[in-house]
Amino acid sequence: MTVTVTLPDGKALTFPHGVTGSDIAAAIGPGLAKAALILEVDGKEWDLFRPLEGDAHIRIITRKDEKSLELIRHDAAHLLAMAVQDLYPGTQVTIGPAIDDGFYYDFARAEPFTPDDLPKIEARMHEIVKEARPTRREVWPRDKAVQHFKDIGESFKAELIASIPSNEDVFIYWHGDWHDLCRGPHFRTTAEIGDAFKLTKIAGAYWRGDAKNAQLQRIYGTAWRDKKELDAYLTRLEEAEKRDHRKLGREMDLFHMQEEAVGQVFWHPNGHTLWRTLENYIRRRVGEAGYNEIKTPLLFDRKLWEQSGHWDTFHQNMFIAEVEDENRTLAVKPMNCPGHIQIFKQGTKSYRELPLRLAEFGSCHRYEPSGALHGIMRVRGFVQDDAHIFCTNDQITDETKSFCELLLRAYRDLGFESVKVKLSTRPEKRIGSDAVWDLAEGSLEKATRAAGLDFTFNPGEGAFYGPKIEFTLTDAIGREWQCGTLQVDFNMPERLGANYIGEDGNKHAPVMLHRAIVGSMERFIGVLIEHYAGKFPLWLAPVQAAVATVVSDADPYAREVVAALKAAGIRTVLDTGNQTVNYKVRQHSLAKTPYLLVLGRREAENRTVTVRKLGVEKQESLALDAAISMLSTEAVPPDLR
RNA sequence: GCCGAUGUAGCGUAGUGGUAGCGCAAUCCCUUGGUAAGGGAUAGGUCGUGAGUUCGAUUCUCACCAUCGGCACCA
């Protein structure tokens, strides 16, 4: 009996029965024999030491292959578990997958791991790599595995295996005398993991991702193909830290937060300028798209929230307001939809008025769990660029299409090109009948397709009143942020008694589309700060130009220049400080001011300015008028160009 | 909310069982300079809050608050 394997280049090789990936690699060449990590057999990953089961198309994966990253990380997770169980006997293993940039492993242990433990564990991992423990794969009946892991005190592992159907076999991987349940594949020895890994942090995590379960201790690590990649990753982390919105928010004097107003933002003049610039941009875009801007109250009688269904689902996350003299409970609005419905309900609405688009920069408050708060990205008081479109069934597709265009246009204007779309369907806890959900999900899917968007499904993640699409943008360093959303709601208008008179003269409940482009203003500004690392395009920059003098003789001219720039609408600061030019250049560069205009005697005499653009060392002398017109042109918001 | 860590002047940090230094920023003085830190002086802290141990606590212990890293949550 022989086995014939076909290589990616079409070459076929024949081997005796029982041949392994290692044998094949060795037959091809000694270099490959060493470099081989894993085999791909008819597209499936296969241990190099595992005999082939028949003829197949194969591919040998080496370190050069991008795919090896995930394999290295999976092996590194096992390596971490080995090291931990070596050093801390009695610690139970649970699961440990590869993730983006690395891996983690969840352990059950009574004492917490401390930051000091990480270097020790890491050192032990390096020792185990040097030991080159050989890997072995065994196939066990499920029940034997359950019993075995129970016997050795690995109750989490036993529980995991017990959830596998009893007629299935399970795979046990051995690295030396350490073993674990695993789907595989794994490298031939622990040596092949290499040394380009590092443990990064310790965290708590719930068993099986459920807060009702026991909390485990998770150790995170990162792993790469070589030291160079590892260093590049660590540098990337440092870069991300430098653009942290909390750090830049302080340095650029944009905002601050304090204990007396947890989860809420104090916007300083610079930050609020950024806010208004963004708000006005959206206001213009939304206005030209046929929305009417409104403003609704912050406090509503609790009865309204009971009627909408929010009280039932979210009352624990709502801020309650009560006054001594009045016997009623008010709640600070956690969202704007019920308020918008009240405006829709004023007067009798005709089908001729649909679609009716009501937009609001709506201030909302939610009592977010303390652990969820994160700078201005996740706060308790926030403003949504919210709008609700009241329309008929037939109008859903067109409205969805034009919203998607509006949103993508806005993201491009704000500097984001790459957008991912997810469609979330009915959650477990929801209102409305299944028939209505079928209709809502069906129309949203159809409309999303009609908008020409590529999307993936996110089952069970919809809002309690309807399915939604979520827009996730990618920032300058590849991180993803969910911002925009569009939700189809067949429930809320009816619950709150909204209707219109149809062509047939009868009352109908409108469909309501909830939608937001940036989502939360706070969060989006945080994303903008990190995306641009504080170096905003001119139209967004809070301070657009700094005028700095070289000598005090130039002060009167500098004041004149500042007045002219301000008159042209350029946000300008004046710096006549008693400092050297070098110092001023440094200060305004660190403040990330887009343009620095340096003025000395020369400029005062010739009525010119010497312009230095942020990040560019070259300077340019321009006539004052020319400079102002250049800056004004560049400062025009993208929608007004 | 859960697990872990952290909290010293506006910011960044050092340090100690005997009530605190440094750098930047600030203020003042000298310096008027040409593209990433000119020089000098001065001022600024109840060491997150509260309790306990102690002759004495910023330092040790406990509780609380906030922040950070995760998990869970996210209308």
Side-chain angles (χ1 to χ4, degrees), chain A residues 593-605:
Chain A
T593 308
Y595 282 100
L596 178 62
L597 276 53
V598 176
L599 309 184
R601 286 196 191 93
R602 278 206 304 267
E603 288 80 3
E605 275 165 31

Side-chain angles (χ1 to χ4, degrees), chain A residues 331-467:
Chain A
V332 185
K333 70 175 174 186
M335 37 133 52
N336 307 298
C337 6
H340 289 196
I341 291 177
Q342 305 314 310
I343 290 186
F344 180 88
K345 280 170 68 179
Q346 293 301 303
T348 308
K349 291 284 175 301
S350 152
Y351 72 95
R352 293 172 190 276
E353 292 173 69
L354 305 185
L356 181 66
R357 308 182 191 91
L358 299 178
E360 177 177 12
F361 291 96
S363 179
C364 297
H365 292 77
R366 296 178 185 174
Y367 183 72
E368 301 286 5
S370 54
L373 301 176
H374 177 88
I376 63 172
M377 299 290 206
R378 184 87 183 266
V379 286
R380 288 183 176 155
F382 57 97
V383 172
Q384 291 177 322
D385 66 320
D386 207 355
H388 295 90
I389 302 171
F390 298 88
C391 64
T392 65
N393 235 326
D394 296 341
Q395 292 166 335
I396 297 175
T397 305
D398 277 352
E399 288 302 312
T400 300
K401 261 170 80 172
S402 49
F403 173 67
C404 291
E405 278 160 26
L406 172 64
L407 173 137
L408 294 174
R409 176 79 259 163
Y411 283 5
R412 271 199 300 278
D413 284 347
L414 292 161
F416 302 98
E417 293 292 337
S418 158
V419 180
K420 282 185 188 158
V421 182
K422 275 187 288 194
L423 198 157
S424 303
T425 54
R426 68 192 78 183
E428 255 174 59
K429 196 174 178 192
R430 59 178 183 263
I431 56 172
S433 69
D434 283 355
V436 165
W437 275 91
D438 288 342
L439 186 64
E441 287 172 359
S443 4
L444 185 57
E445 188 183 334
K446 210 178 94 205
T448 311
R449 286 192 202 284
L453 295 176
D454 270 339
F455 64 93
T456 51
F457 280 102
N458 210 359
E461 296 295 317
F464 74 90
Y465 47 73

Side-chain angles (χ1 to χ4, degrees), chain A residues 251-252 534-535 543-549 572-577 579-598 612-615:
Chain A
E251 288 173 0
M252 299 177 73
K535 295 172 191 157
V543 176
Q544 295 172 313
V547 172
T549 52
T572 311
V573 294
L574 174 63
D575 181 0
T576 53
Q579 290 292 352
T580 60
V581 188
N582 280 331
Y583 184 87
K584 291 182 181 182
V585 166
R586 179 178 156 80
Q587 289 306 306
H588 296 292
S589 300
L590 290 174
K592 302 183 171 59
T593 308
Y595 282 100
L596 178 62
L597 276 53
V598 176
R612 181 192 167 116
K613 194 172 177 155
L614 180 61

